[in-house]
Amino acid sequence: MDTQSLQAFMAVAESGSFSGAAERLFLTQPAVSKRIAVLEQQLGARLFDRVGRRIRLTEAGEALLPRARKVLQELEDMGRAINNLTGEVSGTLRIGTSHHIGLHRLPPVLRRFSREYPQVRLDIHFIDSEEAWEAVLHGDLEMGVVTLPPQPDTRLHSQVIWDDPLVFMCAPEHPLARQADLTLETLTRFSAILPSPVTFTRRIVERLFQEHSLALNISMSTNYLETIHMMVSIGLGWSVLPATMLDQSVIELAVDTPLPERKLGVVTHPGRSRSNAARAFLEAINSE
């Protein structure tokens, strides 16, 4: 059983198609199919059910998936540990980060890092913080630059990089903008536009209102903070967003109850060897 066949298996399982796997591995689709066929022959079991254009893991494929992931991760860690001995900062660094952090926090870090270490290929995945956190946990990414969970989770090593205060905000023409002595209860009488329920930011806001036995009146939700900002700016509702997003199109609401702090930082897996590229990136992000 060779690693190329296992890589092809993982790529098909994760992408859900042979064409997607071929694109990911920079191979032709027949080459991917051949590698899967070899692996199935070696194992004596079919790994995928092919129904039309849909690909699904068989029972054998489901059993192989976590084992294949572990084998490939251990091989990658072994290669990284040996490469680290040379002290050379090179190779591919796979990072996951949110669109908001990528737009508002990372540009100077990426500019500095790419200039100092041009031999490192940055493979940046712009996904939700929660997705990036899970990808680091499962070994698909080496590092995540994310909104940190409101409650500590020891399965990953977390390092706070930025304090990211949240503020209540609305459009200048919104009815709330003309009210003084605002309370959380007052906010519940108006529509809110918030991140989706799975996000760490939404959990922070919901917990605050739950602590005061109040129910939010949520009209819309999306994971993209820039989209929320746009909808708030045209008066569709109030929201809770990072203070860095305050501009002339929205105003901060002086609510008598402070919001909990939101923190942004880096997450890595404590059980994986950290590459020289990852160490250099951490130095770059800490120096900003």
Side-chain angles (χ1 to χ4, degrees):
M1 189 181 302
D2 62 276
T3 57
Q4 289 184 338
S5 295
L6 286 178
Q7 288 171 342
F9 166 75
M10 289 296 301
V12 174
E14 291 173 352
S15 65
S17 70
F18 281 75
S19 58
E23 184 178 347
R24 180 182 298 190
L25 297 173
F26 303 102
L27 296 171
T28 63
Q29 190 169 329
V32 172
S33 298
K34 183 177 180 179
R35 292 184 182 184
I36 297 299
V38 169
L39 186 58
E40 290 178 330
Q41 185 178 10
Q42 290 174 335
L43 294 173
R46 181 180 290 274
L47 299 173
F48 296 99
D49 283 329
R50 304 162 180 83
V51 182
R53 295 185 176 182
R54 301 188 67 180
I55 301 294
R56 290 185 177 180
L57 285 167
T58 63
E59 186 176 355
E62 293 283 2
L64 177 61
L65 186 62
R67 294 169 174 82
R69 180 180 284 116
K70 184 176 181 181
V71 167
L72 292 174
Q73 287 177 0
E74 288 180 349
L75 287 172
E76 185 178 346
D77 282 351
M78 180 175 64
R80 186 182 297 117
I82 293 172
N83 184 64
N84 284 351
L85 297 176
T86 67
E88 182 180 352
V89 182
S90 61
T92 299
L93 178 59
R94 294 197 299 274
I95 300 173
T97 191
S98 70
H99 291 84
H100 179 74
I101 295 174
L103 284 172
H104 296 275
R105 300 287 186 172
L106 279 185
V109 178
L110 295 174
R111 184 183 301 111
R112 176 183 174 186
F113 182 84
S114 60
R115 288 175 178 173
E116 292 187 9
Y117 304 102
Q119 62 273 41
V120 175
R121 187 178 80 86
L122 286 170
D123 181 11
I124 304 175
H125 298 248
F126 290 95
I127 51 181
D128 294 339
S129 288
E130 299 72 27
E131 288 182 72
W133 197 95
E134 289 290 336
V136 173
L137 180 64
H138 293 120
D140 300 322
L141 297 173
E142 185 173 357
M143 179 184 297
V145 186
V146 300
T147 300
L148 297 176
Q151 299 298 323
D153 192 325
T154 57
R155 289 179 295 171
L156 292 184
H157 178 266
S158 301
Q159 178 184 348
V160 176
I161 303 296
W162 302 286
D163 290 324
D164 195 40
L166 297 169
V167 299
F168 295 99
M169 61 178 70
C170 70
E173 65 272 17
H174 192 280
L176 285 170
R178 298 188 293 272
Q179 294 195 31
D181 303 321
L182 283 172
T183 65
L184 293 180
E185 184 178 4
T186 304
L187 293 182
T188 63
R189 302 170 194 161
F190 296 85
S191 296
I193 306 170
L194 295 174
S196 66
V198 299
T199 62
F200 297 143
T201 302
R202 174 72 167 266
R203 294 180 204 172
I204 291 172
V205 177
E206 285 185 334
R207 182 177 294 117
L208 175 65
F209 279 79
Q210 287 168 0
E211 288 172 352
H212 291 79
S213 301
L214 295 170
L216 285 159
N217 176 15
I218 300 171
S219 60
M220 287 177 278
S221 63
T222 174
N223 288 9
Y224 296 103
L225 301 189
E226 283 70 26
T227 302
I228 295 176
H229 179 275
M230 179 274 295
M231 291 192 288
V232 169
S233 70
I234 61 177
L236 297 183
W238 63 269
S239 188
V240 173
L241 291 171
T244 53
M245 302 188 77
L246 284 170
D247 58 20
Q248 294 180 347
S249 66
V250 294
I251 63 168
E252 181 177 356
L253 294 171
V255 180
D256 63 359
T257 305
L259 281 158
E261 290 186 357
R262 185 175 98 145
K263 296 187 181 297
L264 312 178
V266 174
V267 291
T268 54
H269 201 295
R272 300 190 66 188
S273 300
R274 190 173 295 172
S275 67
N276 288 338
R279 292 193 183 100
F281 190 86
L282 279 173
E283 290 178 5
I285 205 168
N286 277 305
S287 64
E288 289 296 328

